[in-house]
């Protein structure tokens, strides 16, 4: 069980959210972090899987610089409007419903984003993502996180045994907002849709703990099973995975930075009023180890 700690030297505090995953970090300005304080944040990240750090004032360069302390960055995926990135910063993925001069400035619109892990349709998915809140609607648009260690631990034993050794295809056709990704053909056949195959139960390379690795529900496929059998088993696994007691939601404020471990969490977003503005900038940190059983 993670505990609240306050380090006398740096003023850094780590307090569990009280939900099914995550901790809040206090007492830091992410633009000015000494190596010891960064090391403490890095440890808290592995221990708590999701970190909320409020009250930050980050430019894109600050966000990129903090992200790079965790490792090399992946380029953002191509947005739904075909744009790869804004103003020469390929590391920044814009999540926004705002339309400027008839063009969406970012991805995912204002609808629900369903439970998912970022970019797990790649063979080497990012190990973590960071989302920084710039403009937030007055209500709605909360983001939920789900603890996939708990999801695995909470499976009944027969289901754990069934899951062991299976491989799952993580679909690359649609993003979590239901939009078709750039350069792929629409399909609803999970057996032939593009994507990457990963073990269904993974061992986290840093914590050594086992977690369920589902990625996203749409077009997921358990290799070697009949489609109907795969669908039924996936539905059963999903019915356990996202139980309320495994989740925690962030009620965003501008200046919030949330960092999550993509290897052992999923996330989703509530819809919000399309007439309101929401602007978030994201970075994604390259994985150092391919998901492994
Ligand atoms: C993401 C994402 C949800 C949100 O940035 O990867 O899924 O709350 N965002 O905007
Ligand atoms: Mn996401």
């Amino acid at each position: 069980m993670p505990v609240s700690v306050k380090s006398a030297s740096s003023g850094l505090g780590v307090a569990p959210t009280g939900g099914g995953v995550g901790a809040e970090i206090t007492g830091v300005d992410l633009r000015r972090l000494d190596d010891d304080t960064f090391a403490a944040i890095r440890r808290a990240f592995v221990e708590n899987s999701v970190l909320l750090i409020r009250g930050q004032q980050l430019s894109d360069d600050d966000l990129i610089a903090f992200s790079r302390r965790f490792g090399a960055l992946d380029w953002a995926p191509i947005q739904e409007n075909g744009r790869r990135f804004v103003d020469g910063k390929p590391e920044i993925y814009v999540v926004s419903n705002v339309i400027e001069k008839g063009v969406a400035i970012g991805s995912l619109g204002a609808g629900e984003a369903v439970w998912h892990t970022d970019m797990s349709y790649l063979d080497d998915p990012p190990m973590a993502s960071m989302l920084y809140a710039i403009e937030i609607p007055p209500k709605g648009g909360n983001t939920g996180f789900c603890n996939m260690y708990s999801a695995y631990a909470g499976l009944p034993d027969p289901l754990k045994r069934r899951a062991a050794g299976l491989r799952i295809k993580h679909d690359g056709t649609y993003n979590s907002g239901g939009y078709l990704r750039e350069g792929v053909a629409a399909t609803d056949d999970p057996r032939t849709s593009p994507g990457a195959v990963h073990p269904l139960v993974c061992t986290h390379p840093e914590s050594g703990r086992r977690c369920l690795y589902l990625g996203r529900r749409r077009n997921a496929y358990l290799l070697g099973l009949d489609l109907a059998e795969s669908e039924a088993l996936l539905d059963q696994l999903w019915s356990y995975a996202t139980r309320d007691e495994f989740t925690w939601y962030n009620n965003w404020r501008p200046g919030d930075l949330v960092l999550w471990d993509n290897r052992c969490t999923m996330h989703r977003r509530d819809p919000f009023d399309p007439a309101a503005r929401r602007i978030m900038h994201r970075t994604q940190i390259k994985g150092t180890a391919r998901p492994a059983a």
Side-chain angles (χ1 to χ4, degrees), residues 105-220:
I105 66 166
S107 293
L108 299 183
E112 179 187 359
V114 298
W115 286 112
H116 67 282
T117 296
D118 290 332
M119 298 161 74
S120 60
Y121 53 84
L122 301 177
D123 286 337
D124 296 295
M127 69 152 189
S129 308
M130 277 190 213
L131 199 55
Y132 177 63
I134 297 168
E135 282 189 58
I136 290 300
K139 62 177 198 302
N142 293 340
T143 306
F145 296 87
C146 174
N147 186 331
M148 300 306 283
Y149 294 127
S150 303
Y152 176 70
L155 294 178
D157 282 340
L159 209 47
K160 270 194 194 139
R161 282 196 293 274
R162 186 94 207 280
L166 285 177
R167 294 189 307 145
I168 180 171
K169 181 157 68 177
H170 291 229
D171 178 59
T173 313
Y174 300 101
N175 71 18
S176 59
Y179 299 91
L180 191 64
R181 290 185 195 280
E182 173 76 12
V184 297
T187 175
D188 283 307
D189 187 339
R191 293 164 300 190
T192 53
S193 71
V197 174
H198 300 296
L200 176 58
V201 180
C202 288
T203 304
H204 191 287
E206 294 184 72
S207 72
R209 298 171 62 198
R210 301 234 271 178
C211 54
L212 196 58
Y213 195 46
L214 292 175
R216 62 194 69 214
R217 178 64 185 88
R218 189 169 182 184
N219 279 357

Side-chain angles (χ1 to χ4, degrees), residues 50 87 113 178 259 289:
V50 180
D87 54 31
L259 159 65

Side-chain angles (χ1 to χ4, degrees), residues 8 12-13 15 25 47-48 54 57-58 65 79-80 94 96 102 123 125 140 148 151 211 226 238 256 262 267 272:
L12 174 98
I25 299 281
E47 197 170 318
N48 296 280
R54 306 208 108 136
Q57 285 184 294
L58 305 179
Q79 295 180 180
E80 296 133 22
V94 180
S96 184
D123 286 337
M148 300 306 283
C211 54
D226 289 344
W238 274 90
D256 281 1
N262 263 312
H267 53 282
F272 57 96

Side-chain angles (χ1 to χ4, degrees), residues 256-271:
D256 281 1
L257 182 292
V258 176
L259 159 65
W260 62 89
D261 191 330
N262 263 312
R263 301 165 294 188
C264 56
T265 64
M266 298 193 295
H267 53 282
R268 68 171 290 281
R269 181 193 72 196
D270 291 333

